[in-house]
Amino acid sequence: MIFSVHVLAAPYSQQANLSALQFCRAVLRQGHQLKRVFFSGDGVLTATQLAIPPQDEINLYREWIDLGTEHGVELVVCISACLRRGIVNASEAERYQLSNHNLAPQFIVAGLGQLVDAAIESDRLITFGAH
Amino acid sequence: MKSVLYIHRKAPYSSMATREEIDAVLATAAFGVETALLFLDDGIFQILGNQQPESAQLKRTAPMFEALAMYDVDTLFVCQQSLQLRGMTPQDLLVPVTVLDSEGIQRLFAHYDHILTF
């Protein structure tokens, strides 16, 4: 089966972000395809390069990046949610004349069309973090 | 072609959920995907008429719902119990809706390929 996952929760602020990560791993362990993880709303905070979680806890930022790189899973963040919450890449920082940029390079910035595409191409689209 | 049901459960203005969900609804409809909306619990307040949020420095979301018809999204449902618990009727709402009881909502869930909530 083809799965896609929609993440609305920020890391740590809501458990749903960790639950989504664990669900993604379970999907892959069971031999299903994980087409895309689409982060929107507060979920885009997963893509910051500047967070430093406590050493004795799971590093959710690193775990999501590892999921993407080790399993070839597409990690997409919604551009409008990113701009609103201050998650920007170098070209947006330049366009808006911001002092810095913070988007982790393993994440792709895109529009809602990628969420719609995930709905069209997946058998199951599971949302984590609606509250 | 897949179909998507968007559930709106949150009060407007209390979070970005209303705005971000309606953007997703419009994007989905623009792709030609069969799109419907279900308003449940406090989500009903999103389509309550006579909102005047500008006085609280908030952006009006009513025009976004009124624009749905332009995107050929005219399948809007409201939970009967949610309306009753809040002392509201369909006449209080901005847009035409079909009121569903819990059996109707179960049938709705069975019909759509994907159900999304923000």
Side-chain angles (χ1 to χ4, degrees), chain B residues 44-80:
Chain B
I44 288 173
F45 290 116
Q46 293 181 18
I47 48 171
L48 184 62
N50 299 317
Q51 294 177 32
Q52 294 167 10
E54 304 89 343
S55 54
Q57 296 180 292
L58 292 163
K59 185 170 176 174
R60 286 190 74 214
T61 51
M64 300 179 84
F65 290 100
E66 287 155 356
L68 288 173
M70 282 198 298
Y71 283 71
D72 289 328
V73 180
D74 49 17
T75 343
L76 276 64
F77 301 96
V78 163
C79 167
Q80 180 181 63

Side-chain angles (χ1 to χ4, degrees), chain A residues 6 8 40-41 81 84-85 112-113 115-116 119-120 122-125 127 130-131, chain B residues 1-2 4 6 10 16 19-20 23-24 27-28 31 33 113-118:
Chain A
H6 183 199
L8 291 166
S40 75
R84 193 185 291 281
R85 289 166 183 77
L112 283 164
L115 177 64
V116 182
I120 292 169
S122 306
D123 299 305
R124 297 285 183 274
L125 173 56
T127 303
H131 53 318
Chain B
M1 177 48 93
K2 296 267 169 55
V4 182
Y6 281 93
K10 302 200 70 188
M16 291 306 304
R19 305 255 313 267
E20 290 181 336
D23 280 342
T28 306
F31 271 68
V33 174
D113 294 311
H114 295 302
I115 300 171
L116 296 186
T117 308
F118 276 61

Side-chain angles (χ1 to χ4, degrees), chain A residues 35-79:
Chain A
K35 176 183 170 66
R36 179 173 301 134
V37 183
F38 188 87
F39 298 83
S40 75
D42 291 344
V44 303
L45 294 172
T46 309
T48 180
Q49 281 187 307
L50 302 182
I52 310 164
Q55 296 275 353
D56 63 345
E57 283 183 41
I58 182 175
N59 185 329
L60 285 170
Y61 306 95
R62 169 56 42 196
E63 297 277 343
W64 278 109
I65 287 170
D66 288 348
L67 182 86
T69 52
E70 285 166 22
H71 300 279
V73 177
E74 218 179 81
L75 305 175
V76 179
V77 284
C78 175
I79 183 165

